């Protein structure tokens, strides 16, 4: 068991979300954004970021928590993670690197600690409850 799993489990009964579950949440996010023309998804996101989750993660019972404390991310932390890093920084770096940063970010989820590049930048892990 990794240190991250141990830390998360000590603070609450959780386990790291699997790579397949995380892929499912991203596909669900895309579907929700398309169905609601982006507006409903954006409003829903702003409302539930305070719970440390996103619409797709919420449906699949996944939460973003601090890797050190195991506490759910606050609204401000979710804004930084979702908007500034995943929405602006990663796409910008991906454009400059011809998609390599996006590919690396996505493939890092298959590591033992299941932390993507944006998780490493934010100090977050995604847990399944």
């Amino acid at each position: 068991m990794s240190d991250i799993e141990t830390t998360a489990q000590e603070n609450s009964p959780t386990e790291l979300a699997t790579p397949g579950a995380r892929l499912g949440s991203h596909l669900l996010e895309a579907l929700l954004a398309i169905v609601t023309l982006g507006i409903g998804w954006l409003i829903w996101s702003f409302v539930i970021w305070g719970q440390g989750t996103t619409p797709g993660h919420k449906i699949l019972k996944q939460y973003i928590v601090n890797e050190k404390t195991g506490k759910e991310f606050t609204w401000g932390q979710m804004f930084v993670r979702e908007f500034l890093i995943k929405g602006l920084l990663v796409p910008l770096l991906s454009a400059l690197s011809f998609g390599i940063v996006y590919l690396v970010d996505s493939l890092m989820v298959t590591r033992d600690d299941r932390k993507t590049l944006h998780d490493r930048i934010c100090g977050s892990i995604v847990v399944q409850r």
Side-chain angles (χ1 to χ4, degrees), residues 28-81:
L28 192 52
E29 294 275 345
L31 179 64
L32 290 169
I34 290 168
V35 168
T36 65
L37 302 175
I39 297 167
W41 172 84
L42 187 61
I43 292 168
W44 189 7
S45 293
F46 285 159
V47 169
I48 65 172
W49 279 356
Q51 299 171 18
T53 192
T54 65
H57 285 105
K58 177 81 170 173
I59 292 170
L60 297 178
K61 298 181 179 161
Q62 297 173 6
Y63 294 85
I64 292 85
V65 300
N66 184 298
E67 68 178 324
K68 290 184 171 55
T69 66
K71 292 183 181 179
E72 292 174 358
F73 263 29
T74 64
W75 194 94
Q77 290 171 310
M78 287 297 292
F79 177 80
V80 169
R81 181 183 191 269

Side-chain angles (χ1 to χ4, degrees), residues 84-128:
L84 297 179
I85 295 175
K86 284 176 62 177
L88 296 177
L89 181 63
V90 171
L92 175 66
L93 294 175
S94 291
L96 295 173
S97 68
F98 302 103
I100 293 185
V101 171
Y102 183 74
L103 183 63
V104 168
D105 183 48
S106 300
L107 292 176
M108 286 179 79
V109 77
T110 61
R111 295 169 39 107
D112 287 340
D113 63 6
R114 298 187 190 143
K115 289 178 62 178
T116 60
L117 183 59
H118 61 269
D119 286 326
R120 290 181 183 288
I121 294 168
C122 297
S124 64
I125 55 173
V126 179
V127 295
Q128 188 83 42

